[in-house]
Amino acid sequence: MNEIEELERQLQQKRAEQGIESAAPFERAEVHQAVGERIQQSVPNYQPKSAPAQAAGTPSWQDPALVSAVQQLVNVAFTQNVQAAIDQAVASGNPALIDALHDVLADELHQQLLERQKIQPAP
């Protein structure tokens, strides 16, 4: 099972537990939360921020000090797997890098779900 299929399964399972209609489109906030929970498996004390609003300033992953490192981790996530990217971010010991990876992975995975026509873009 690939990463996108696993994410879909995880999101569907969470919806079933919450009694939410499974045919409804996945929202970006749901994807953001799922990625945060995955990071918490590796860093139990990690407290994911709530899903950032799209228009709320510069996303953390666009911080000039983090752009290169985040791009490398995204490459790892999509050429190897998400867990390998998370492990590398955790090993860096840089909480800002972990937060930035969280944000960009949520955005990228959300986009992948959009492309698979599993969700609809926000109006």
Side-chain angles (χ1 to χ4, degrees):
M1 180 179 301
N2 72 34
E3 297 285 336
I4 301 299
E5 290 170 345
E6 175 61 23
L7 176 62
E8 287 179 83
R9 185 198 61 71
Q10 180 183 6
L11 291 168
Q12 289 291 358
Q13 181 179 2
K14 181 170 279 202
R15 281 185 168 185
E17 291 169 359
Q18 296 173 348
I20 298 173
E21 172 62 42
S22 63
F26 294 118
E27 299 293 332
R28 184 185 178 285
E30 290 176 285
V31 176
H32 192 270
Q33 182 179 5
V35 172
E37 290 170 357
R38 183 122 182 227
I39 292 171
Q40 279 184 317
Q41 292 173 356
S42 296
V43 186
N45 63 344
Y46 176 70
Q47 292 299 312
K49 298 173 184 170
S50 60
Q54 291 291 75
T58 303
S60 64
W61 57 270
Q62 289 183 350
D63 178 337
L66 299 175
V67 170
S68 177
V70 170
Q71 186 57 55
Q72 289 175 348
L73 292 172
V74 169
N75 291 344
V76 168
F78 287 99
T79 59
Q80 296 176 30
N81 61 58
V82 170
Q83 190 59 50
I86 291 170
D87 291 345
Q88 288 183 25
V90 170
S92 76
N94 183 344
L97 181 60
I98 296 169
D99 283 339
L101 178 64
H102 179 192
D103 288 345
V104 76
L105 280 180
D107 288 344
E108 291 289 328
L109 292 169
H110 184 258
Q111 185 61 39
Q112 291 289 322
L113 289 170
L114 279 171
E115 290 173 7
R116 292 171 61 110
Q117 297 180 342
K118 295 295 182 179
I119 58 177
Q120 300 298 317

PDB file of all heavy atoms in Angstrom, residues 16-32:
ATOM      1  N   ALA A  16     -14.884   7.096  10.441  1.00  0.00           N
ATOM      2  CA  ALA A  16     -15.793   6.053  10.902  1.00  0.00           C
ATOM      3  C   ALA A  16     -15.908   6.086  12.423  1.00  0.00           C
ATOM      4  O   ALA A  16     -16.998   5.967  12.974  1.00  0.00           O
ATOM      5  CB  ALA A  16     -15.312   4.680  10.422  1.00  0.00           C
ATOM      6  N   GLU A  17     -14.779   6.282  13.099  1.00  0.00           N
ATOM      7  CA  GLU A  17     -14.779   6.353  14.563  1.00  0.00           C
ATOM      8  C   GLU A  17     -15.566   7.559  15.062  1.00  0.00           C
ATOM      9  O   GLU A  17     -16.162   7.514  16.122  1.00  0.00           O
ATOM     10  CB  GLU A  17     -13.338   6.437  15.082  1.00  0.00           C
ATOM     11  CG  GLU A  17     -12.547   5.164  14.887  1.00  0.00           C
ATOM     12  CD  GLU A  17     -11.056   5.336  15.154  1.00  0.00           C
ATOM     13  OE1 GLU A  17     -10.614   6.466  15.485  1.00  0.00           O
ATOM     14  OE2 GLU A  17     -10.318   4.341  15.006  1.00  0.00           O
ATOM     15  N   GLN A  18     -15.573   8.637  14.281  1.00  0.00           N
ATOM     16  CA  GLN A  18     -16.263   9.859  14.680  1.00  0.00           C
ATOM     17  C   GLN A  18     -17.686   9.926  14.132  1.00  0.00           C
ATOM     18  O   GLN A  18     -18.403  10.885  14.393  1.00  0.00           O
ATOM     19  CB  GLN A  18     -15.477  11.081  14.201  1.00  0.00           C
ATOM     20  CG  GLN A  18     -14.125  11.203  14.851  1.00  0.00           C
ATOM     21  CD  GLN A  18     -13.278  12.332  14.256  1.00  0.00           C
ATOM     22  OE1 GLN A  18     -13.598  12.895  13.217  1.00  0.00           O
ATOM     23  NE2 GLN A  18     -12.183  12.648  14.922  1.00  0.00           N
ATOM     24  N   GLY A  19     -18.075   8.926  13.357  1.00  0.00           N
ATOM     25  CA  GLY A  19     -19.420   8.907  12.798  1.00  0.00           C
ATOM     26  C   GLY A  19     -19.634   9.937  11.705  1.00  0.00           C
ATOM     27  O   GLY A  19     -20.758  10.371  11.458  1.00  0.00           O
ATOM     28  N   ILE A  20     -18.573  10.314  11.014  1.00  0.00           N
ATOM     29  CA  ILE A  20     -18.662  11.299   9.932  1.00  0.00           C
ATOM     30  C   ILE A  20     -18.872  10.562   8.617  1.00  0.00           C
ATOM     31  O   ILE A  20     -18.267   9.518   8.371  1.00  0.00           O
ATOM     32  CB  ILE A  20     -17.372  12.153   9.857  1.00  0.00           C
ATOM     33  CG1 ILE A  20     -17.190  12.938  11.156  1.00  0.00           C
ATOM     34  CG2 ILE A  20     -17.400  13.090   8.656  1.00  0.00           C
ATOM     35  CD1 ILE A  20     -15.873  13.673  11.249  1.00  0.00           C
ATOM     36  N   GLU A  21     -19.712  11.122   7.766  1.00  0.00           N
ATOM     37  CA  GLU A  21     -19.989  10.555   6.446  1.00  0.00           C
ATOM     38  C   GLU A  21     -18.676  10.329   5.695  1.00  0.00           C
ATOM     39  O   GLU A  21     -17.916  11.268   5.465  1.00  0.00           O
ATOM     40  CB  GLU A  21     -20.901  11.492   5.657  1.00  0.00           C
ATOM     41  CG  GLU A  21     -21.093  11.115   4.221  1.00  0.00           C
ATOM     42  CD  GLU A  21     -21.759   9.764   4.028  1.00  0.00           C
ATOM     43  OE1 GLU A  21     -22.719   9.466   4.761  1.00  0.00           O
ATOM     44  OE2 GLU A  21     -21.306   9.002   3.163  1.00  0.00           O
ATOM     45  N   SER A  22     -18.417   9.088   5.298  1.00  0.00           N
ATOM     46  CA  SER A  22     -17.134   8.767   4.673  1.00  0.00           C
ATOM     47  C   SER A  22     -17.030   9.254   3.232  1.00  0.00           C
ATOM     48  O   SER A  22     -15.945   9.356   2.694  1.00  0.00           O
ATOM     49  CB  SER A  22     -16.872   7.265   4.734  1.00  0.00           C
ATOM     50  OG  SER A  22     -17.859   6.579   4.000  1.00  0.00           O
ATOM     51  N   ALA A  23     -18.149   9.561   2.594  1.00  0.00           N
ATOM     52  CA  ALA A  23     -18.100  10.030   1.208  1.00  0.00           C
ATOM     53  C   ALA A  23     -17.808  11.526   1.123  1.00  0.00           C
ATOM     54  O   ALA A  23     -17.513  12.037   0.049  1.00  0.00           O
ATOM     55  CB  ALA A  23     -19.414   9.723   0.504  1.00  0.00           C
ATOM     56  N   ALA A  24     -17.880  12.220   2.246  1.00  0.00           N
ATOM     57  CA  ALA A  24     -17.609  13.666   2.233  1.00  0.00           C
ATOM     58  C   ALA A  24     -16.148  13.909   1.883  1.00  0.00           C
ATOM     59  O   ALA A  24     -15.281  13.109   2.229  1.00  0.00           O
ATOM     60  CB  ALA A  24     -17.930  14.261   3.602  1.00  0.00           C
ATOM     61  N   PRO A  25     -15.859  15.018   1.213  1.00  0.00           N
ATOM     62  CA  PRO A  25     -14.464  15.318   0.846  1.00  0.00           C
ATOM     63  C   PRO A  25     -13.583  15.505   2.080  1.00  0.00           C
ATOM     64  O   PRO A  25     -14.025  16.035   3.087  1.00  0.00           O
ATOM     65  CB  PRO A  25     -14.565  16.638   0.077  1.00  0.00           C
ATOM     66  CG  PRO A  25     -15.988  16.807  -0.263  1.00  0.00           C
ATOM     67  CD  PRO A  25     -16.782  16.022   0.735  1.00  0.00           C
ATOM     68  N   PHE A  26     -12.324  15.079   1.978  1.00  0.00           N
ATOM     69  CA  PHE A  26     -11.357  15.312   3.048  1.00  0.00           C
ATOM     70  C   PHE A  26     -10.945  16.767   3.011  1.00  0.00           C
ATOM     71  O   PHE A  26     -10.688  17.332   1.959  1.00  0.00           O
ATOM     72  CB  PHE A  26     -10.103  14.444   2.883  1.00  0.00           C
ATOM     73  CG  PHE A  26     -10.355  12.988   3.033  1.00  0.00           C
ATOM     74  CD1 PHE A  26     -10.129  12.126   1.980  1.00  0.00           C
ATOM     75  CD2 PHE A  26     -10.820  12.474   4.223  1.00  0.00           C
ATOM     76  CE1 PHE A  26     -10.351  10.767   2.112  1.00  0.00           C
ATOM     77  CE2 PHE A  26     -11.054  11.120   4.374  1.00  0.00           C
ATOM     78  CZ  PHE A  26     -10.815  10.264   3.305  1.00  0.00           C
ATOM     79  N   GLU A  27     -10.877  17.368   4.159  1.00  0.00           N
ATOM     80  CA  GLU A  27     -10.451  18.760   4.274  1.00  0.00           C
ATOM     81  C   GLU A  27      -8.954  18.801   4.561  1.00  0.00           C
ATOM     82  O   GLU A  27      -8.386  17.867   5.113  1.00  0.00           O
ATOM     83  CB  GLU A  27     -11.211  19.456   5.411  1.00  0.00           C
ATOM     84  CG  GLU A  27     -12.709  19.506   5.216  1.00  0.00           C
ATOM     85  CD  GLU A  27     -13.129  20.386   4.052  1.00  0.00           C
ATOM     86  OE1 GLU A  27     -12.401  21.349   3.723  1.00  0.00           O
ATOM     87  OE2 GLU A  27     -14.186  20.115   3.471  1.00  0.00           O
ATOM     88  N   ARG A  28      -8.336  19.931   4.236  1.00  0.00           N
ATOM     89  CA  ARG A  28      -6.905  20.097   4.491  1.00  0.00           C
ATOM     90  C   ARG A  28      -6.595  19.920   5.976  1.00  0.00           C
ATOM     91  O   ARG A  28      -5.586  19.330   6.335  1.00  0.00           O
ATOM     92  CB  ARG A  28      -6.445  21.473   4.018  1.00  0.00           C
ATOM     93  CG  ARG A  28      -4.945  21.638   4.192  1.00  0.00           C
ATOM     94  CD  ARG A  28      -4.475  23.038   3.847  1.00  0.00           C
ATOM     95  NE  ARG A  28      -3.053  23.156   4.072  1.00  0.00           N
ATOM     96  CZ  ARG A  28      -2.483  23.245   5.255  1.00  0.00           C
ATOM     97  NH1 ARG A  28      -3.194  23.221   6.349  1.00  0.00           N
ATOM     98  NH2 ARG A  28      -1.176  23.340   5.381  1.00  0.00           N
ATOM     99  N   ALA A  29      -7.473  20.407   6.838  1.00  0.00           N
ATOM    100  CA  ALA A  29      -7.244  20.289   8.283  1.00  0.00           C
ATOM    101  C   ALA A  29      -7.174  18.825   8.716  1.00  0.00           C
ATOM    102  O   ALA A  29      -6.395  18.479   9.603  1.00  0.00           O
ATOM    103  CB  ALA A  29      -8.334  21.023   9.052  1.00  0.00           C
ATOM    104  N   GLU A  30      -7.967  17.963   8.093  1.00  0.00           N
ATOM    105  CA  GLU A  30      -7.929  16.540   8.426  1.00  0.00           C
ATOM    106  C   GLU A  30      -6.583  15.936   8.039  1.00  0.00           C
ATOM    107  O   GLU A  30      -6.011  15.137   8.784  1.00  0.00           O
ATOM    108  CB  GLU A  30      -9.036  15.775   7.695  1.00  0.00           C
ATOM    109  CG  GLU A  30     -10.432  16.066   8.183  1.00  0.00           C
ATOM    110  CD  GLU A  30     -11.476  15.346   7.363  1.00  0.00           C
ATOM    111  OE1 GLU A  30     -11.735  15.784   6.220  1.00  0.00           O
ATOM    112  OE2 GLU A  30     -12.007  14.340   7.863  1.00  0.00           O
ATOM    113  N   VAL A  31      -6.082  16.312   6.870  1.00  0.00           N
ATOM    114  CA  VAL A  31      -4.789  15.809   6.409  1.00  0.00           C
ATOM    115  C   VAL A  31      -3.686  16.334   7.327  1.00  0.00           C
ATOM    116  O   VAL A  31      -2.798  15.586   7.737  1.00  0.00           O
ATOM    117  CB  VAL A  31      -4.533  16.219   4.939  1.00  0.00           C
ATOM    118  CG1 VAL A  31      -3.149  15.778   4.484  1.00  0.00           C
ATOM    119  CG2 VAL A  31      -5.621  15.638   4.027  1.00  0.00           C
ATOM    120  N   HIS A  32      -3.766  17.616   7.698  1.00  0.00           N
ATOM    121  CA  HIS A  32      -2.777  18.229   8.586  1.00  0.00           C
ATOM    122  C   HIS A  32      -2.736  17.487   9.918  1.00  0.00           C
ATOM    123  O   HIS A  32      -1.665  17.167  10.445  1.00  0.00           O
ATOM    124  CB  HIS A  32      -3.125  19.711   8.782  1.00  0.00           C
ATOM    125  CG  HIS A  32      -2.049  20.502   9.441  1.00  0.00           C
ATOM    126  ND1 HIS A  32      -1.958  20.667  10.793  1.00  0.00           N
ATOM    127  CD2 HIS A  32      -1.004  21.191   8.909  1.00  0.00           C
ATOM    128  CE1 HIS A  32      -0.916  21.412  11.076  1.00  0.00           C
ATOM    129  NE2 HIS A  32      -0.320  21.746   9.950  1.00  0.00           N
TER     130      HIS A  32
END
